Amino acid sequence: MLYIKCPHCGMRSQNEFSYGGDASVKRPELNKEISDQEWDNFVYNRKSLRGKHWELWQHLSGCRQWIKVQRDTATHEIFNTLKAEEEIN
Amino acid sequence: MSQEFRLKDIGLIKRNKKISFKFNGKKYQGYEGDTLASALLANGVHLVGRSFKYHRPRGFFGAGADEPYAVVQLYRDGETEPNIKATEQELFEGLEAKSVNCWPSVNFDIGAINNILKIFLPAGFYYKTFMWPKSFWYKVYEPFIRKAAGLGVASTKHDKERYEHKYEYCDLLIAGSGPSGLSSAYAAAKNGAKVILAEDKSRFGGSLLTSDVNIGNQSGKNWAEKIIAELKDMPNVIVKNRSQIFGYYDHNMLVMSEKISDHLPKTKKYHPNKKLWYIRAKEVLISSGSIERPIVFGNNDTPGVMLSSAAKEYMKVYGVLVGKKPLVFTNNDSGYETAIEFKKNGIDPIVLDSRENPASEIVDEAKNLGLNIKFSYVVVAAKGYKKVKSADIALISKDKKKLGKIENINCDCICVSGFWTPTIHLASQSGNKTKFDDNIDAFIPGKSKQNETTLGAANGVFSLKETLKTSFEAGNNLSKKITNIENKVSIPNIVEKKYSKHDKFWCVPLPKGKNYKRFLDFQNDVSVSDIELALREGYRSIEHVKRYTTLGMATDQGKTSNLNGLQLVSDIENKVVPSVGHTTFRPPYTPISIGAIVGREIGKHSKPTRKSPMHSWHEKNNAIFVDAGVWLRPRYYKKGDENLFEASKREAKNVRTNVGVCDVTTLGKIDIKGPDAAEFLNRVYTNAWLKLPVGKARYGVMLREDGIVMDDGTTTRISENHYHMTTTTAQAANVLSHLEYYLQLVWPELNVNVVSTTEQWAGAAIAGPNSRNLLKKLFPNNDVSNENLPFMGFMEGDLFGVKTRIFRISFSGELAYELNVESDYGKFMWEKIVELGEEFKIQPYGTEALSTLRIEMGHVAGSELDGRTIPYDNALEGLVSKKKDFIGKRSLQRLAFVAKDRQRIVGVVPIDKKTNIPEGSHLVKDAKASLPNKKLGHISASCWSVEYDNPFSLAILKDGKNMIGEKLFVMSPLKNKIIPVEIVSSHYVDPKGERVRS
């Protein structure tokens, strides 16, 4: 079971969180004309990366905040966690 | 005679406490502190089971978790448990055990014919043989294999034992209470660290219980006792015996199974059977020791052949002789310890040492004691069927390839020592890449992957002096980093004997013309010839060899067999062991009860049960409940001997003619506040929300980004910046997360707050033509007329002093209201409704009637919003705004979603107006078409229409829009039904929606 540092609450076990997918995906702006391809990339197309990956988790049974977690998908090592409003760099 | 193999003055058992037990129906006696294995051996019982494949007689091989043979079926307190290792099961009064894998008895086992047919049962036999003819598989081969295979029988009864889970955090978790574990625990505890020390056996001390060593000026055993006693008294230390750390998971999470009651005749009241500990440790010290390796020779599975360390443990811990004419076969110094122990107990062993001329103190000691030692000698084969009777032995050449003349000597047991294999399971599970150590011919942990440190024999360090030094240091250094305290303890003095190196020898060659089975994996009957065959057939990867031959795949996970298997593969392939590599070590280290893993989350406790504030009223009024998400809801209220169908029909009919009341507390409720709330709702829902006035409710549909309907419900504008959203019962939690996702991540600029208020409000729906008349009685101080509170209106009312939110919304399609009060007033509200409703013939209605009412109205619910449908499919396209953007809108342009013949909701009525239509059935054009018959749609929900008194269903049907009036067939192969039906509009009752506005 992973041990995730919630930027709001501190170290908590994985069973308090739920997974939310790739954190680097940006939703297209509202009312913007975009191609089918762009929309498909947003809704469906994901790289199943091996290695470092920024992903979203929600601290569901804690502060209910969505957070960004940088995790190695192969080793589960967690390098960094950010608040929702903090930018990935 | 009873216990004729019990020694007089030696051992740690309690001789004043006699215990009776039964094995295979026969009564025996042992002592408190015995294991089932030691007590049987004390009684001279060596035959405990039959092997997996050839049904060869099997005895005891080890004395602990590494035991490959002695797996029994245990009977305790009216329950039975399979796969119990007799070497681990502590004896208790009244214990009963039986042999497994034999029929009709362990002494006469018909399956043993496989032993004679063994040339027909090589590796991969099942894969090769039972391929053909195909039709034989189910009827002949599979039942036969199933009957022949397996170790014991699982109970089919409900497990009455209780199992608990516990979460724990500590600075240092230490696995094993041998010299290494005790030293590091002691050093760390002195530095004030929070320490957990776990020992899988009942006694602490590990190898110190069986070896003749002094630590400082006392015996190793006494030193261990003293340290344990001190640790137990320290408030920062948890010391646990009978506790197996069986898995090392991510981020330093380890799981330990504590056996609390297995050593007792019966679990004590209020005690669990086992406790599973989830431990998050800052540092993990693995002091799991090592397991002796066997040497492979002919018929090395005969009862009476066992590890020399086990023979020593039986003597020193249990006071039991495993034989009176022992033969010790060793390639290293360890065998001598066992031989000397025999000698001390008045037994003269014969020692065969494969080494030519070892120079070490213990060999000299043995010589001085007058032991019969034969150097460069090996056991070629054990003789005897159900028990060792003698051994064929021979001189072996220096290159270990040629045998001298075979001699036969009498013996009743053969104690084997092929040196030691570090127990690296936990280290390997942590992700540590192990490395091969040439000095000990075994794998040891490499670079640490997590915060784990392996110490002592588990790390390939077999010197006690070195083990104590490194363990004290590790305990001290790791703990002081955490606590910033250092109370250094001095490391006790050790005088060690001079040892000489072990022989790199692990398998005795076959003598000419002999075809003895030489076993590697004793539990799964994998022999040298099986591995050779697998390699001849082209299997190269050790992982493939493992799966083809089942080497190391039994319940002992190859604790005694893996390395010898690797050595064999390396020899044949002319490779060195490290390049062959080892198979993956996976948790659990030893078999763990499923019950312990599940814990208390069984049956009703597998999820929380939520009850509405009106629950006790429902109970009193004969409600039959149904699980609705995590809630219990009344399904119907039983009157007399009504069944579900009759009751729900009565309840629904009463709503259509009089008035009914339904508990709707379970609906998800989300409070939404903030200046941007309207804008937010406008983005979340498909319809327009910016112009909803205060005091009005609106029905809304929300989509996922892929265009699929996520949920529906009404949202009411309570005040300027305050909304009350309702969701379906099932999706409440998901919708909240969904809203939080968009507010926190996508549109953080919106000034909106959301919070769940599901449990803060109790809800009751009043539905039926008489509902307004009832409302007037309930709210005498408020104007609830059609003009003041129109359809989709909202107002606050005064329910005899209780502030109530009144929503004029309807799921039933009737004139209806939903009342919300603070939860604590829920029962008051409900009872008031029932009391004042009496004159209007009010009846409570459950979820079944609720479904009937909504189905015949064509209102969609979870069975239509099933994660596969878009608004159009549910006839909700009118709610999809063309003007504004919202979540999922862009996806609605997908080709499949705009197809002319897109699926759509329809009503379905059986032509005979009588036959009930099973939910989930398929709709087809031609009932007689050949299979696979093309499916046009499926029945999503069925009911008995109380309006028309005939069955009615909703269906999602391809090109549903143009199918109204068509005659199709409903097919349910599951229920074996074919029903001719007519497709009608989904709005079966009141299609214009006049009632809700009346």
Side-chain angles (χ1 to χ4, degrees), chain B residues 563-596:
Chain B
L563 261 173
N564 284 340
L566 290 177
Q567 291 279 13
L568 179 63
V569 174
S570 319
D571 283 2
I572 297 171
E573 291 284 284
N574 263 328
K575 280 185 194 165
V576 283
V577 171
S579 68
V580 173
H582 60 74
T583 55
T584 314
F585 291 100
R586 289 194 177 86
Y589 172 69
T590 50
I592 301 299
S593 299
I594 299 281

mmCIF file of all heavy atoms in Angstrom, chain B residues 563-596:
data_model
loop_
_atom_site.group_PDB
_atom_site.id
_atom_site.type_symbol
_atom_site.label_atom_id
_atom_site.label_comp_id
_atom_site.label_asym_id
_atom_site.label_seq_id
_atom_site.Cartn_x
_atom_site.Cartn_y
_atom_site.Cartn_z
ATOM 1 N N LEU B 563 17.147 -23.807 -4.238
ATOM 2 C CA LEU B 563 18.560 -23.685 -4.579
ATOM 3 C C LEU B 563 19.100 -24.940 -5.236
ATOM 4 O O LEU B 563 19.873 -24.871 -6.185
ATOM 5 C CB LEU B 563 19.378 -23.341 -3.345
ATOM 6 C CG LEU B 563 19.683 -21.842 -3.260
ATOM 7 C CD1 LEU B 563 20.335 -21.520 -1.949
ATOM 8 C CD2 LEU B 563 20.554 -21.382 -4.418
ATOM 9 N N ASN B 564 18.688 -26.112 -4.731
ATOM 10 C CA ASN B 564 19.145 -27.344 -5.364
ATOM 11 C C ASN B 564 18.641 -27.437 -6.798
ATOM 12 O O ASN B 564 19.335 -27.924 -7.685
ATOM 13 C CB ASN B 564 18.706 -28.553 -4.548
ATOM 14 C CG ASN B 564 19.565 -28.735 -3.303
ATOM 15 O OD1 ASN B 564 20.678 -28.203 -3.250
ATOM 16 N ND2 ASN B 564 19.060 -29.450 -2.326
ATOM 17 N N GLY B 565 17.421 -26.958 -7.043
ATOM 18 C CA GLY B 565 16.889 -26.921 -8.406
ATOM 19 C C GLY B 565 17.736 -26.026 -9.293
ATOM 20 O O GLY B 565 18.070 -26.384 -10.428
ATOM 21 N N LEU B 566 18.110 -24.877 -8.760
ATOM 22 C CA LEU B 566 18.937 -23.944 -9.524
ATOM 23 C C LEU B 566 20.307 -24.542 -9.819
ATOM 24 O O LEU B 566 20.845 -24.407 -10.917
ATOM 25 C CB LEU B 566 19.128 -22.642 -8.731
ATOM 26 C CG LEU B 566 17.910 -21.770 -8.598
ATOM 27 C CD1 LEU B 566 18.218 -20.562 -7.740
ATOM 28 C CD2 LEU B 566 17.428 -21.334 -9.964
ATOM 29 N N GLN B 567 20.870 -25.223 -8.803
ATOM 30 C CA GLN B 567 22.169 -25.855 -8.996
ATOM 31 C C GLN B 567 22.110 -26.866 -10.133
ATOM 32 O O GLN B 567 22.988 -26.920 -10.978
ATOM 33 C CB GLN B 567 22.592 -26.590 -7.711
ATOM 34 C CG GLN B 567 22.934 -25.681 -6.559
ATOM 35 C CD GLN B 567 24.342 -25.112 -6.660
ATOM 36 O OE1 GLN B 567 24.989 -25.211 -7.703
ATOM 37 N NE2 GLN B 567 24.798 -24.492 -5.589
ATOM 38 N N LEU B 568 21.021 -27.616 -10.166
ATOM 39 C CA LEU B 568 20.878 -28.644 -11.192
ATOM 40 C C LEU B 568 20.795 -28.016 -12.569
ATOM 41 O O LEU B 568 21.475 -28.433 -13.515
ATOM 42 C CB LEU B 568 19.631 -29.491 -10.894
ATOM 43 C CG LEU B 568 19.328 -30.599 -11.894
ATOM 44 C CD1 LEU B 568 20.455 -31.615 -11.902
ATOM 45 C CD2 LEU B 568 18.013 -31.285 -11.543
ATOM 46 N N VAL B 569 19.945 -26.990 -12.699
ATOM 47 C CA VAL B 569 19.814 -26.314 -13.993
ATOM 48 C C VAL B 569 21.156 -25.737 -14.413
ATOM 49 O O VAL B 569 21.575 -25.847 -15.565
ATOM 50 C CB VAL B 569 18.728 -25.206 -13.921
ATOM 51 C CG1 VAL B 569 18.693 -24.409 -15.215
ATOM 52 C CG2 VAL B 569 17.368 -25.822 -13.638
ATOM 53 N N SER B 570 21.870 -25.144 -13.470
ATOM 54 C CA SER B 570 23.172 -24.553 -13.785
ATOM 55 C C SER B 570 24.154 -25.615 -14.254
ATOM 56 O O SER B 570 24.899 -25.408 -15.209
ATOM 57 C CB SER B 570 23.765 -23.862 -12.564
ATOM 58 O OG SER B 570 22.790 -23.167 -11.884
ATOM 59 N N ASP B 571 24.160 -26.758 -13.571
ATOM 60 C CA ASP B 571 25.080 -27.833 -13.946
ATOM 61 C C ASP B 571 24.809 -28.311 -15.361
ATOM 62 O O ASP B 571 25.717 -28.451 -16.178
ATOM 63 C CB ASP B 571 24.924 -29.024 -12.989
ATOM 64 C CG ASP B 571 25.605 -28.762 -11.663
ATOM 65 O OD1 ASP B 571 26.139 -27.638 -11.511
ATOM 66 O OD2 ASP B 571 25.588 -29.654 -10.802
ATOM 67 N N ILE B 572 23.526 -28.549 -15.649
ATOM 68 C CA ILE B 572 23.187 -29.088 -16.974
ATOM 69 C C ILE B 572 23.470 -28.062 -18.054
ATOM 70 O O ILE B 572 23.962 -28.373 -19.127
ATOM 71 C CB ILE B 572 21.704 -29.515 -17.008
ATOM 72 C CG1 ILE B 572 21.466 -30.641 -16.009
ATOM 73 C CG2 ILE B 572 21.302 -29.954 -18.413
ATOM 74 C CD1 ILE B 572 20.007 -30.992 -15.816
ATOM 75 N N GLU B 573 23.163 -26.803 -17.749
ATOM 76 C CA GLU B 573 23.327 -25.744 -18.735
ATOM 77 C C GLU B 573 24.761 -25.219 -18.783
ATOM 78 O O GLU B 573 25.056 -24.303 -19.542
ATOM 79 C CB GLU B 573 22.376 -24.584 -18.397
ATOM 80 C CG GLU B 573 20.919 -24.923 -18.595
ATOM 81 C CD GLU B 573 20.535 -24.914 -20.053
ATOM 82 O OE1 GLU B 573 20.382 -23.807 -20.601
ATOM 83 O OE2 GLU B 573 20.430 -25.998 -20.664
ATOM 84 N N ASN B 574 25.609 -25.769 -17.907
ATOM 85 C CA ASN B 574 26.977 -25.275 -17.809
ATOM 86 C C ASN B 574 27.039 -23.780 -17.549
ATOM 87 O O ASN B 574 27.831 -23.051 -18.121
ATOM 88 C CB ASN B 574 27.759 -25.595 -19.073
ATOM 89 C CG ASN B 574 28.568 -26.851 -18.868
ATOM 90 O OD1 ASN B 574 29.004 -27.122 -17.750
ATOM 91 N ND2 ASN B 574 28.740 -27.607 -19.921
ATOM 92 N N LYS B 575 26.144 -23.345 -16.713
ATOM 93 C CA LYS B 575 26.139 -21.937 -16.349
ATOM 94 C C LYS B 575 26.435 -21.867 -14.866
ATOM 95 O O LYS B 575 26.402 -22.864 -14.162
ATOM 96 C CB LYS B 575 24.760 -21.330 -16.581
ATOM 97 C CG LYS B 575 24.450 -20.951 -18.005
ATOM 98 C CD LYS B 575 23.106 -20.262 -18.013
ATOM 99 C CE LYS B 575 22.540 -20.147 -19.412
ATOM 100 N NZ LYS B 575 21.131 -19.803 -19.364
ATOM 101 N N VAL B 576 26.661 -20.659 -14.377
ATOM 102 C CA VAL B 576 26.760 -20.516 -12.936
ATOM 103 C C VAL B 576 25.394 -20.080 -12.427
ATOM 104 O O VAL B 576 24.619 -19.475 -13.161
ATOM 105 C CB VAL B 576 27.844 -19.498 -12.541
ATOM 106 C CG1 VAL B 576 29.206 -20.123 -12.679
ATOM 107 C CG2 VAL B 576 27.717 -18.239 -13.354
ATOM 108 N N VAL B 577 25.119 -20.382 -11.179
ATOM 109 C CA VAL B 577 23.791 -20.116 -10.628
ATOM 110 C C VAL B 577 23.321 -18.668 -10.836
ATOM 111 O O VAL B 577 22.197 -18.439 -11.248
ATOM 112 C CB VAL B 577 23.726 -20.521 -9.141
ATOM 113 C CG1 VAL B 577 22.430 -20.057 -8.516
ATOM 114 C CG2 VAL B 577 23.846 -22.023 -9.022
ATOM 115 N N PRO B 578 24.205 -17.673 -10.573
ATOM 116 C CA PRO B 578 23.697 -16.300 -10.708
ATOM 117 C C PRO B 578 23.154 -15.986 -12.089
ATOM 118 O O PRO B 578 22.234 -15.185 -12.232
ATOM 119 C CB PRO B 578 24.907 -15.425 -10.360
ATOM 120 C CG PRO B 578 26.060 -16.324 -10.201
ATOM 121 C CD PRO B 578 25.560 -17.706 -10.031
ATOM 122 N N SER B 579 23.695 -16.617 -13.143
ATOM 123 C CA SER B 579 23.186 -16.279 -14.475
ATOM 124 C C SER B 579 21.882 -17.012 -14.773
ATOM 125 O O SER B 579 21.115 -16.608 -15.633
ATOM 126 C CB SER B 579 24.236 -16.561 -15.548
ATOM 127 O OG SER B 579 24.447 -17.939 -15.651
ATOM 128 N N VAL B 580 21.640 -18.101 -14.044
ATOM 129 C CA VAL B 580 20.322 -18.741 -14.164
ATOM 130 C C VAL B 580 19.287 -17.887 -13.440
ATOM 131 O O VAL B 580 18.175 -17.682 -13.894
ATOM 132 C CB VAL B 580 20.351 -20.171 -13.568
ATOM 133 C CG1 VAL B 580 18.951 -20.772 -13.534
ATOM 134 C CG2 VAL B 580 21.271 -21.052 -14.385
ATOM 135 N N GLY B 581 19.703 -17.335 -12.292
ATOM 136 C CA GLY B 581 18.810 -16.471 -11.518
ATOM 137 C C GLY B 581 17.805 -17.291 -10.751
ATOM 138 O O GLY B 581 17.708 -18.510 -10.931
ATOM 139 N N HIS B 582 17.078 -16.637 -9.884
ATOM 140 C CA HIS B 582 16.070 -17.380 -9.138
ATOM 141 C C HIS B 582 14.678 -16.868 -9.498
ATOM 142 O O HIS B 582 14.535 -15.789 -10.049
ATOM 143 C CB HIS B 582 16.315 -17.287 -7.625
ATOM 144 C CG HIS B 582 16.282 -15.892 -7.093
ATOM 145 N ND1 HIS B 582 15.124 -15.180 -6.939
ATOM 146 C CD2 HIS B 582 17.284 -15.079 -6.698
ATOM 147 C CE1 HIS B 582 15.417 -13.997 -6.454
ATOM 148 N NE2 HIS B 582 16.710 -13.892 -6.308
ATOM 149 N N THR B 583 13.681 -17.672 -9.190
ATOM 150 C CA THR B 583 12.314 -17.243 -9.460
ATOM 151 C C THR B 583 11.916 -16.198 -8.426
ATOM 152 O O THR B 583 12.566 -16.041 -7.401
ATOM 153 C CB THR B 583 11.351 -18.448 -9.384
ATOM 154 O OG1 THR B 583 11.526 -19.065 -8.112
ATOM 155 C CG2 THR B 583 11.633 -19.445 -10.471
ATOM 156 N N THR B 584 10.835 -15.490 -8.728
ATOM 157 C CA THR B 584 10.446 -14.367 -7.882
ATOM 158 C C THR B 584 9.892 -14.855 -6.542
ATOM 159 O O THR B 584 9.106 -15.787 -6.500
ATOM 160 C CB THR B 584 9.345 -13.571 -8.612
ATOM 161 O OG1 THR B 584 9.771 -13.408 -9.958
ATOM 162 C CG2 THR B 584 9.131 -12.219 -7.974
ATOM 163 N N PHE B 585 10.311 -14.191 -5.496
ATOM 164 C CA PHE B 585 9.729 -14.474 -4.179
ATOM 165 C C PHE B 585 8.473 -13.624 -4.039
ATOM 166 O O PHE B 585 8.536 -12.409 -4.141
ATOM 167 C CB PHE B 585 10.702 -14.102 -3.062
ATOM 168 C CG PHE B 585 11.903 -14.984 -3.005
ATOM 169 C CD1 PHE B 585 13.105 -14.567 -3.552
ATOM 170 C CD2 PHE B 585 11.834 -16.228 -2.409
ATOM 171 C CE1 PHE B 585 14.231 -15.384 -3.500
ATOM 172 C CE2 PHE B 585 12.956 -17.048 -2.343
ATOM 173 C CZ PHE B 585 14.157 -16.622 -2.896
ATOM 174 N N ARG B 586 7.369 -14.264 -3.812
ATOM 175 C CA ARG B 586 6.124 -13.493 -3.679
ATOM 176 C C ARG B 586 5.516 -13.724 -2.307
ATOM 177 O O ARG B 586 5.607 -14.823 -1.763
ATOM 178 C CB ARG B 586 5.119 -13.915 -4.745
ATOM 179 C CG ARG B 586 5.532 -13.458 -6.125
ATOM 180 C CD ARG B 586 4.387 -13.566 -7.114
ATOM 181 N NE ARG B 586 4.809 -13.051 -8.406
ATOM 182 C CZ ARG B 586 5.436 -13.775 -9.316
ATOM 183 N NH1 ARG B 586 5.695 -15.032 -9.097
ATOM 184 N NH2 ARG B 586 5.799 -13.226 -10.463
ATOM 185 N N PRO B 587 4.878 -12.702 -1.774
ATOM 186 C CA PRO B 587 4.160 -12.923 -0.524
ATOM 187 C C PRO B 587 2.938 -13.802 -0.787
ATOM 188 O O PRO B 587 2.453 -13.811 -1.913
ATOM 189 C CB PRO B 587 3.736 -11.520 -0.096
ATOM 190 C CG PRO B 587 3.855 -10.650 -1.306
ATOM 191 C CD PRO B 587 4.772 -11.340 -2.277
ATOM 192 N N PRO B 588 2.413 -14.539 0.184
ATOM 193 C CA PRO B 588 2.906 -14.610 1.546
ATOM 194 C C PRO B 588 4.028 -15.621 1.699
ATOM 195 O O PRO B 588 4.095 -16.593 0.959
ATOM 196 C CB PRO B 588 1.667 -15.073 2.324
ATOM 197 C CG PRO B 588 0.909 -15.903 1.344
ATOM 198 C CD PRO B 588 1.156 -15.292 -0.004
ATOM 199 N N TYR B 589 4.881 -15.383 2.685
ATOM 200 C CA TYR B 589 6.018 -16.267 2.961
ATOM 201 C C TYR B 589 5.527 -17.642 3.374
ATOM 202 O O TYR B 589 6.082 -18.656 2.986
ATOM 203 C CB TYR B 589 6.866 -15.640 4.068
ATOM 204 C CG TYR B 589 7.972 -16.524 4.585
ATOM 205 C CD1 TYR B 589 9.059 -16.828 3.771
ATOM 206 C CD2 TYR B 589 7.937 -17.046 5.874
ATOM 207 C CE1 TYR B 589 10.075 -17.639 4.232
ATOM 208 C CE2 TYR B 589 8.947 -17.858 6.339
ATOM 209 C CZ TYR B 589 10.021 -18.159 5.518
ATOM 210 O OH TYR B 589 11.016 -18.973 5.975
ATOM 211 N N THR B 590 4.485 -17.681 4.189
ATOM 212 C CA THR B 590 3.831 -18.951 4.541
ATOM 213 C C THR B 590 2.343 -18.790 4.249
ATOM 214 O O THR B 590 1.848 -17.664 4.174
ATOM 215 C CB THR B 590 3.996 -19.285 6.032
ATOM 216 O OG1 THR B 590 3.622 -18.135 6.780
ATOM 217 C CG2 THR B 590 5.412 -19.661 6.372
ATOM 218 N N PRO B 591 1.617 -19.895 4.085
ATOM 219 C CA PRO B 591 0.181 -19.760 3.799
ATOM 220 C C PRO B 591 -0.537 -18.984 4.911
ATOM 221 O O PRO B 591 -0.261 -19.192 6.086
ATOM 222 C CB PRO B 591 -0.310 -21.210 3.751
ATOM 223 C CG PRO B 591 0.899 -22.010 3.408
ATOM 224 C CD PRO B 591 2.045 -21.300 4.072
ATOM 225 N N ILE B 592 -1.417 -18.092 4.515
ATOM 226 C CA ILE B 592 -2.153 -17.252 5.458
ATOM 227 C C ILE B 592 -3.643 -17.555 5.289
ATOM 228 O O ILE B 592 -4.120 -17.678 4.165
ATOM 229 C CB ILE B 592 -1.884 -15.753 5.169
ATOM 230 C CG1 ILE B 592 -0.396 -15.428 5.287
ATOM 231 C CG2 ILE B 592 -2.701 -14.846 6.081
ATOM 232 C CD1 ILE B 592 0.204 -15.670 6.645
ATOM 233 N N SER B 593 -4.368 -17.654 6.385
ATOM 234 C CA SER B 593 -5.803 -17.923 6.300
ATOM 235 C C SER B 593 -6.505 -16.824 5.527
ATOM 236 O O SER B 593 -6.251 -15.644 5.758
ATOM 237 C CB SER B 593 -6.426 -17.956 7.695
ATOM 238 O OG SER B 593 -5.858 -18.956 8.451
ATOM 239 N N ILE B 594 -7.398 -17.232 4.635
ATOM 240 C CA ILE B 594 -8.194 -16.253 3.899
ATOM 241 C C ILE B 594 -8.977 -15.397 4.896
ATOM 242 O O ILE B 594 -9.108 -14.187 4.732
ATOM 243 C CB ILE B 594 -9.172 -16.970 2.946
ATOM 244 C CG1 ILE B 594 -8.413 -17.816 1.927
ATOM 245 C CG2 ILE B 594 -10.088 -15.978 2.253
ATOM 246 C CD1 ILE B 594 -7.814 -17.089 0.778
ATOM 247 N N GLY B 595 -9.464 -16.051 5.968
ATOM 248 C CA GLY B 595 -10.224 -15.323 6.980
ATOM 249 C C GLY B 595 -9.441 -14.156 7.556
ATOM 250 O O GLY B 595 -9.987 -13.081 7.783
ATOM 251 N N ALA B 596 -8.144 -14.374 7.781
ATOM 252 C CA ALA B 596 -7.327 -13.310 8.356
ATOM 253 C C ALA B 596 -7.176 -12.155 7.373
ATOM 254 O O ALA B 596 -7.147 -10.991 7.760
ATOM 255 C CB ALA B 596 -5.960 -13.859 8.745
#
